[in-house]
Amino acid sequence: MTTAETGQTPDAARPVRVGVQIQPQHADYAQIRRAVAAAEETGVDLVMNWDHFFPLYGEPDGKHFECWTMLGAWAEATERVEIGALVSCNSYRNPDLLADMARTVDHVSDGRLVLGIGAGWFERDYDEYGYDFRTAGARIGDLGEALPRIEARWAKLNPAPVRDIPVMVGGSGEKKTLPLVARHADIWHAFGDAETVQRKGAILDGYCRDLGRDPREVERSAGVEGDPSAVGDAMLAAGVTLFTVSTGGPDYDLGPLRDWLAWRDERNA
C-alpha cells in the first residue's frame, strides 16, 4: 500500500518512532523498573504503562500496580525517554486533578511526559473501585468535557508545564472520538489493521480540515506486533509514525522491541 493509495499526506519532517508499553501486571515493581531501564537503554522513544487496577491478561487477580504513581517514579528513574500511559482513563480522576498530576510529572521528568487519555472501557475497574460505568457514549461525552478543562487548568497552574504537554487520545469511534482527536490531540492512537487505520485516518483528516487544522499536526500511533518489515511498512504507508510494542511481566521480553527499533532506524536513515 502506497501513501498515494491511502490518501494520507506524508510528513517528511516527522520521523518514525517506536514506543514500548510495559504492562504493570504479573510482576514485582523491581522487575518493572528493570524493564523500563532496559527499554531506555535500547534506544526506545517512548515508554508507557496502562491505567487499570487489575490485570487484563492471565490470572485476573494477579499482581498489578497503579498507573500515575508509577509514572512519577519513572520520571525520576529515566533520563531520555518520553513517558506516559497508553492510556489514562478519564473516568478515574477529576480532570483538573489529572491536569495537575500531569504537570507535576512533566516537571519531575524535565518535560518528557505525554498525556495519553481515553474514555475508559474495562468494566471491572469501574465496578470494584466504585466508578459509574454507564454507557460508552456517556463516557466519551465525559472525555469531551474533560479535555478543555485539562487545557484550561494547564494555563492556570504555577509553575506552568515545562512544555506544551502532548495529548494522545486513544480511540477510533468515527462519530464521537475522532472529532475530539481533531480538536484536542497531538497524537491519535488508533486501533485496527493498516486498512482500518487508513480509512479512519481519512475521516480524522476531514474533521481536522473542518476545524481549519492541518491534519499533519496529529501524529498517528498504533500498537503493533509481528514482523516489522511486513506489519510496519503497511502501517507506515497508512500514515502511522509511532509504533508501540507491548510486553508483559514477569519476564518482559524486549526481543521484539529490538527488532522494531532496527526497523525504525532503517526507515529513518
Side-chain angles (χ1 to χ4, degrees):
M1 190 187 309
T2 67
T3 52
E5 290 168 338
T6 65
Q8 298 288 336
T9 303
D11 183 355
R14 191 183 295 282
V16 174
R17 302 198 296 158
V18 170
V20 63
Q21 183 186 58
I22 305 293
Q23 299 169 352
Q25 61 176 6
H26 307 307
D28 295 325
Y29 182 69
Q31 294 169 307
I32 295 172
R33 184 178 61 240
R34 287 195 293 270
V36 172
E40 184 171 42
E41 179 74 18
T42 66
V44 73
D45 297 293
L46 178 60
V47 179
M48 294 172 283
N49 57 12
W50 65 32
D51 191 15
H52 295 288
F53 305 130
F54 300 94
L56 298 187
Y57 312 108
E59 169 54 48
D61 293 316
K63 295 175 181 179
H64 199 278
F65 291 98
E66 192 275 329
C67 167
W68 276 91
T69 314
M70 183 177 296
L71 288 177
W74 289 6
E76 286 280 13
T78 58
E79 297 180 355
R80 179 192 57 79
V81 292
E82 289 188 310
I83 58 173
L86 186 60
V87 290
S88 273
C89 176
N90 175 64
S91 305
Y92 300 160
R93 299 164 193 87
N94 172 287
D96 291 87
L97 171 62
L98 179 60
D100 204 342
M101 293 166 62
R103 182 280 306 254
T104 300
V105 175
D106 183 57
H107 274 266
V108 176
S109 67
D110 196 22
R112 293 183 287 115
L113 179 79
V114 173
L115 176 60
I117 191 167
W121 64 272
F122 190 39
E123 190 168 2
R124 184 184 180 189
D125 283 348
Y126 287 77
D127 291 345
E128 295 216 29
Y129 276 61
Y131 297 105
D132 188 359
F133 189 61
R134 300 190 295 158
T135 66
R139 296 193 303 276
I140 296 171
D142 288 344
L143 178 62
E145 294 177 1
L147 286 165
R149 285 180 61 183
I150 290 168
E151 294 163 357
R153 180 56 54 187
W154 280 339
K156 296 176 182 178
L157 288 170
N158 183 17
V162 174
R163 62 172 177 171
D164 291 334
I165 297 174
V167 174
M168 172 193 286
V169 174
S172 298
E174 297 174 12
K175 294 182 179 180
K176 294 185 177 182
T177 302
L178 292 182
L180 296 180
V181 173
R183 185 173 295 277
H184 298 284
D186 302 285
I187 306 169
W188 168 48
H189 187 77
F191 297 90
D193 59 14
E195 182 179 356
T196 301
V197 171
Q198 181 273 322
R199 181 177 63 81
K200 290 181 180 285
I203 295 170
L204 173 60
D205 291 349
Y207 285 127
C208 287
R209 294 188 184 103
D210 289 344
L211 294 170
R213 186 179 187 190
D214 186 341
R216 291 175 296 182
E217 294 178 9
V218 183
E219 184 174 14
R220 314 301 164 99
S221 166
V224 290
E225 58 184 13
D227 180 4
S229 62
V231 178
D233 287 345
M235 284 289 200
L236 184 61
V240 174
T241 56
L242 174 56
F243 300 80
T244 298
V245 180
S246 294
T247 183
D251 297 328
Y252 294 112
D253 178 12
L254 298 183
L257 173 63
R258 295 184 178 93
D259 293 340
W260 280 92
L261 291 172
W263 175 84
R264 175 201 66 185
D265 293 345
E266 291 175 357
R267 296 303 176 274
N268 286 338

